[in-house]
Amino acid sequence: MWLLDLWAERHILDAQRQGEFDNLPGSGHPLMLDDDSHVPAELRAGYRMLKNAGCLPPELEQRKEAVELAQLLDSVRQGSAEHTDYSRRLALLELKLRQAGVNTDFLRGDYADRLASKMNEE
């Protein structure tokens, strides 16, 4: 074990003995850890930092923006200048997503409608 590891372990044990970890939020409950087994070991720390900073991969960022634009389109009067602008931006984003190999069926809502009707049948 490295000297730094020994030092950290000693401080953790001292804190435990002094009761500094007692009554912490979530005490006694299992930790909710992310499954990052699909990420290569050498990239995990970097990915974790980006995730904690709120950064998304470009495709997911574009997907999120496309969903927001689709919702805006539903709230704007058809034929207005805003509707035209949102439609163009959404079409461009959809093209970029398709070129990146991302399925854009989530924008159509067809799957959600079919799923809801299937659930109502049962």
Side-chain angles (χ1 to χ4, degrees):
M1 197 178 272
W2 293 94
L3 182 61
L4 184 61
D5 293 333
L6 291 172
W7 178 80
E9 286 294 324
R10 187 183 62 180
H11 280 282
I12 290 171
L13 289 173
D14 288 344
Q16 282 178 328
R17 277 189 231 110
Q18 294 172 6
E20 293 181 25
F21 296 136
D22 297 344
N23 301 321
L24 288 176
S27 179
H29 299 286
L31 293 175
M32 300 303 291
L33 301 175
D34 293 333
D35 178 25
D36 57 1
S37 59
H38 62 284
V39 178
E42 63 273 7
L43 297 177
R44 287 183 188 150
Y47 276 34
R48 174 86 35 176
M49 287 174 48
L50 289 171
K51 180 181 177 189
N52 290 343
C55 295
L56 290 175
E59 293 83 15
L60 289 180
E61 194 68 50
Q62 289 173 341
R63 181 183 170 122
K64 180 179 171 184
E65 185 180 350
V67 169
E68 290 171 359
L69 279 172
Q71 290 172 347
L72 281 172
L73 272 173
D74 290 340
S75 66
V76 175
R77 186 177 51 84
Q78 204 167 11
S80 68
E82 285 180 313
H83 190 275
T84 305
D85 180 49
Y86 294 152
S87 296
R88 287 181 182 159
R89 288 174 49 195
L90 183 59
L92 178 63
L93 266 177
E94 190 172 356
L95 179 64
K96 287 180 181 179
L97 286 168
R98 285 185 184 161
Q99 288 176 339
V102 177
N103 188 338
T104 58
D105 289 343
F106 64 92
L107 291 171
R108 303 290 167 255
D110 185 42
Y111 178 75
D113 294 340
R114 286 186 296 166
L115 182 62
S117 66
K118 183 72 173 173
M119 290 177 70
N120 289 334
E121 287 176 6
E122 296 176 353

